[in-house]
Amino acid sequence: MTPLPALAFGLVLGMRHATDADHVAAISTIVAGGPSARRAATMGAWWGAGHSLSVLLVGGALVLLKAPMPIRVALALEFLVALMLIVLGISSMRTKNTTIVPASRPFAIGVVHGLAGSAVLALLVLGTTNSALTALVYLLCFCVGTIAGMAIITSLFAIPALLSPARAIRFEHAVRLTAGVSSIAIGLALAHRVGVRDGLFAATPPALSGANVTWTPE
């Protein structure tokens, strides 16, 4: 893959990656029903920044070394994401009022998500180019796309409350409940897939094959 297509491909795929169900579920438990679109977008951008940090450090190292992440480690990180989604869902359902969330929270959530996706991203990049420079440019563009995509997505959570301030409290409660249930459901489904189908707890887990390079994991 030449540098220019790598730039475009990385940017577009990064923005699409931000729309994955588990990512949206995780961040929605934090920003759902917020009164400020700018505040919500900032939280989404912090999530993207944390995700990008993991991808650049871990995924970049795997690409440069041309070494796959041990399958057991990759599955364990995905299982950690599943547990995190369940905890976030429970926390969202128990929260009654909108509170000021520090930037460190979405940043940390993004870091965990990025760690879980680094192995798959490294395989994807290694399969499209042999140039270390092109691979790093791709990763960087992917991260920019992820940050922008999540910032746009999270800002949309504030629109209904802005259009109808009088219903903001009821809307916030309904969305938090929906986000919490969705986060728990996705977390449980992911935990089952990683632990049972992918064989995290099996004596010999399957190899991370090309069939898994679909961005459905993590």
Side-chain angles (χ1 to χ4, degrees), residues 21-38:
D22 56 336
H23 297 164
V24 176
I27 197 67
S28 65
T29 61
I30 297 177
V31 303
S36 170
R38 176 181 294 182

Side-chain angles (χ1 to χ4, degrees), residues 164-216:
S164 181
R167 301 179 180 177
I169 295 179
R170 283 185 295 173
F171 172 79
E172 185 268 344
H173 177 72
V175 174
R176 281 191 175 276
L177 180 61
T178 302
V181 172
S182 299
S183 185
I184 293 173
I186 293 173
L188 290 173
L190 180 59
H192 179 269
R193 178 182 66 76
V194 173
V196 178
R197 194 191 75 186
D198 292 347
L200 171 60
F201 303 111
T204 306
L208 192 63
S209 64
N212 290 331
V213 187
T214 62
W215 288 117
T216 299

Side-chain angles (χ1 to χ4, degrees), residues 16-25 150 153 214-218:
R16 198 220 67 83
H17 182 56
T19 66
D20 282 358
D22 56 336
H23 297 164
V24 176
M150 187 56 75
I153 291 170
T214 62
W215 288 117
T216 299
E218 64 83 302

Side-chain angles (χ1 to χ4, degrees), residues 33-90:
S36 170
R38 176 181 294 182
R39 175 69 179 174
T42 300
M43 292 296 99
W46 274 112
W47 179 96
H51 186 282
S52 299
L53 178 63
S54 297
V55 166
L56 289 175
L57 292 180
V58 180
L62 294 174
V63 168
L64 290 176
L65 295 174
K66 294 185 178 180
M69 180 181 289
I71 182 61
R72 186 80 72 177
V73 174
L75 291 176
L77 289 173
E78 289 191 46
F79 194 78
L80 177 61
V81 169
L83 296 180
M84 180 182 68
L85 286 171
I86 295 172
V87 172
L88 287 174
I90 295 174

